[in-house]
Amino acid sequence: MLRYLTAGESHGQALVVIVEGLPAGLKVTSGDISDELARRRLGFGRGPRQKFEQDEIVLVGGVRHGRTLGSPVAIEIKNSEWFRSDVWHEEMSPAPGVTKKPLTQPRPGHADLTGMQKYGFDDARDVLERASARETAARVAAGALAKLLLKEIGVSVLSHVLQLGSARSENTVRPTLLDLDRVDESPVRCFDPLAETRMIHEIEQAAKEGDSLGGIVEVLAYGLPVGLGSYVHWDRKLDGLLAQAIMSIQAVKGVEIGDGFEVASRRGSNAHDAIIWNETEKKYVRQTTLAGGTEGGMSTGEILVVRAAMKPLATLNKPSLKTVDTVTKEETVSFKERTDVTAVPAMGVVAETMVALVLAQEAQRNFGGDNVDDFVNSAQSFAKRIV
Ligand code: EPS
């Protein structure tokens, strides 16, 4: 079973991820991982840190001569800011000591206060350094490996921004893998040029006012095999696994498969994807994508559609959210940290990652194999069997 674990704090020395359960023989280069990490740094509205965090990676183990060994793959992503700054050396030092600047005005909407209470900390930094979305860099490194595995069986995963603040794309045409470069070239990773202009304007306005913005991204997976996930147990349902994975992304507060929320207001006679036999391709197809490519907790073989809603970041460039000082218990405003106006375009890349990791896990559960060729052969023989 493919599994992974991340470690590391936002302003610590490095992030680390260990990915276990990949078959041997999967072709991997550090460039494959760096390219994905670079995509995560894209996006208008991100703070100054993205300009200098190079996400320099070290493939510590599990890969030899450009292919996986079947052993755990360990990846280190250095935090360039830690190496550049004595402040962070001291603040994040593992050696015994205390901080001179404890943060005691927890930000509403962050893990700060509840984390301090739960783990018994007096300094919000003990919480926020790990709760930070910087951690998603480690996930994206793992996701790059998942994407390579999925590519072996013809599956591709991509994303685009549907809504940023109140600016929403009305375009119903979905990007495919051929359009991904165009999406990534958009400063807000939006496929719709009209909406893109409105999104950029909204970010500029929010930036001027020291405020932040949320939004909605759509993740699409093409070329999925039929039957990933299962209806036989609650915890094997693909849509359930996807929802958990998407909701684990920092600041995500909503998830939708297909047109989930819109379909709730339709009548049953008009809420389902009709099944058709395609004689040329010799396969069943669905006429529409309302169900987002899952039925009964299994992939139908259609395009998978997963949407994620992100709240506006709770760190603001103008300190204005009402809170309490945890020492004096007096009313104050949350502390100010350098931050992004919006991270929605980057969150799209993280959401792709989480979807790719779930799909790769489930594909491996179905097709197994300690060697990548066995995995591919098994997927191919399954595809032949179901015709
Ligand atoms: C983050 C706040 C910002 C982001 C950071 C996540 O960092 P800083 O406070 O150091 O400027 O830039 O994201 C990343 C560094 C990254 O690589 O995504 C937060 O509070 O979650």
Side-chain angles (χ1 to χ4, degrees):
M1 183 72 182
L2 186 64
R3 54 198 180 128
Y4 56 99
L5 193 65
T6 74
E9 278 70 41
S10 179
H11 296 97
Q13 243 187 90
L15 298 172
V16 177
V17 62
I18 295 183
V19 184
E20 210 249 341
L22 284 168
L26 182 66
K27 290 196 179 71
V28 180
T29 65
S30 53
D32 294 324
I33 300 164
S34 311
D35 288 352
E36 283 297 298
L37 289 169
R39 293 183 62 231
R40 198 195 63 94
R41 288 195 304 274
L42 295 172
F44 187 61
R46 297 217 72 189
R49 187 162 171 199
Q50 299 311 318
K51 295 198 175 63
F52 57 76
E53 275 304 355
Q54 292 308 310
D55 292 339
E56 186 198 323
I57 65 152
V58 184
L59 266 169
V60 181
V63 178
R64 180 165 183 252
H65 297 161
R67 81 240 189 284
T68 53
L69 295 172
S71 53
V73 176
I75 305 167
E76 184 187 49
I77 308 167
K78 294 190 195 304
N79 286 330
S80 25
E81 192 162 28
W82 191 85
F83 290 93
R84 285 164 24 127
S85 144
D86 290 342
V87 176
W88 292 119
H89 270 72
E90 203 176 308
E91 266 302 318
M92 299 306 293
S93 168
V98 285
T99 180
K100 294 186 197 92
K101 293 171 290 184
L103 298 173
T104 58
Q105 291 109 34
R107 298 159 299 173
H110 263 288
D112 301 353
L113 177 59
T114 313
M116 289 164 86
Q117 292 175 304
K118 179 174 166 68
Y119 288 95
F121 296 134
D122 299 327
D123 176 9
R125 187 164 302 287
D126 285 323
V127 177
L128 70 89
E129 285 289 336
R130 178 63 186 162
S132 159
R134 170 80 189 144
E135 183 259 347
T136 60
R139 301 198 209 185
V140 168
L145 302 173
K147 284 182 178 176
L148 290 173
L149 184 66
L150 290 171
K151 198 172 157 195
E152 294 286 333
I153 54 169
V155 178
S156 55
V157 185
L158 57 124
S159 68
H160 62 125
V161 173
L162 272 188
Q163 184 173 334
L164 215 153
S166 63
R168 190 179 172 102
S169 167
E170 302 303 334
N171 192 353
T172 50
V173 183
R174 294 195 162 114
T176 67
L177 198 57
L178 297 175
D179 304 307
L180 187 57
D181 284 346
R182 214 183 102 194
V183 172
D184 283 348
E185 275 159 25
S186 157
V188 281
R189 302 198 65 255
C190 179
F191 190 50
D192 171 359
L194 289 176
E196 175 190 283
T197 309
R198 285 185 278 121
M199 288 174 185
I200 291 172
H201 179 70
E202 201 154 328
I203 295 171
E204 283 168 343
Q205 284 305 113
K208 255 187 232 156
E209 290 157 32
D211 223 321
S212 63
L213 294 171
I216 299 173
V217 304
E218 184 173 81
V219 181
L220 306 166
Y222 290 92
L224 275 186
V226 170
L228 297 188
S230 179
Y231 60 90
V232 303
H233 290 300
W234 70 268
D235 57 352
R236 287 196 53 197
K237 287 178 184 275
L238 186 67
D239 40 7
L241 296 167
L242 289 165
Q244 198 278 326
I246 292 289
M247 289 296 292
S248 76
I249 303 170
Q250 290 82 342
V252 167
K253 288 300 241 184
V255 61
E256 183 180 32
I257 311 285
D259 290 337
F261 286 97
E262 201 264 313
V263 161
S265 60
R266 293 185 179 214
R267 288 202 170 179
S269 52
N270 187 30
H272 299 285
D273 305 321
I275 301 172
I276 291 170
W277 175 250
N278 182 324
E279 182 55 32
T280 329
E281 292 189 41
K282 298 267 183 279
K283 66 174 194 179
Y284 302 102
V285 290
R286 305 296 194 281
Q287 212 166 15
T288 47
T289 59
L290 295 168
T294 71
E295 284 172 350
M298 297 169 291
S299 57
T300 58
E302 292 292 326
I303 169 176
L304 180 79
V305 182
V306 183
R307 299 196 187 122
M310 184 184 209
K311 65 184 179 181
L313 298 175
T315 312
L316 302 181
N317 278 316
K318 66 164 184 224
S320 61
L321 293 179
K322 191 165 130 180
T323 187
V324 169
D325 189 294
T326 53
V327 176
T328 64
K329 308 287 190 261
E330 277 166 16
E331 185 180 316
T332 179
V333 285
S334 51
F335 59 81
K336 187 179 165 305
E337 282 260 302
R338 181 187 61 195
T339 186
D340 310 323
V341 177
T342 186
V344 172
M347 190 272 282
V349 178
V350 179
E352 273 175 36
T353 281
M354 296 313 291
V355 168
L357 282 160
V358 169
L359 296 177
Q361 279 169 332
E362 290 307 304
Q364 255 211 332
R365 191 204 285 264
N366 278 21
F367 306 125
D370 288 323
N371 177 284
V372 73
D373 293 339
D374 297 340
F375 170 76
V376 173
N377 289 339
S378 167
Q380 285 171 349
S381 79
F382 172 77
K384 276 194 204 116
R385 203 261 291 153
I386 60 166
V387 173

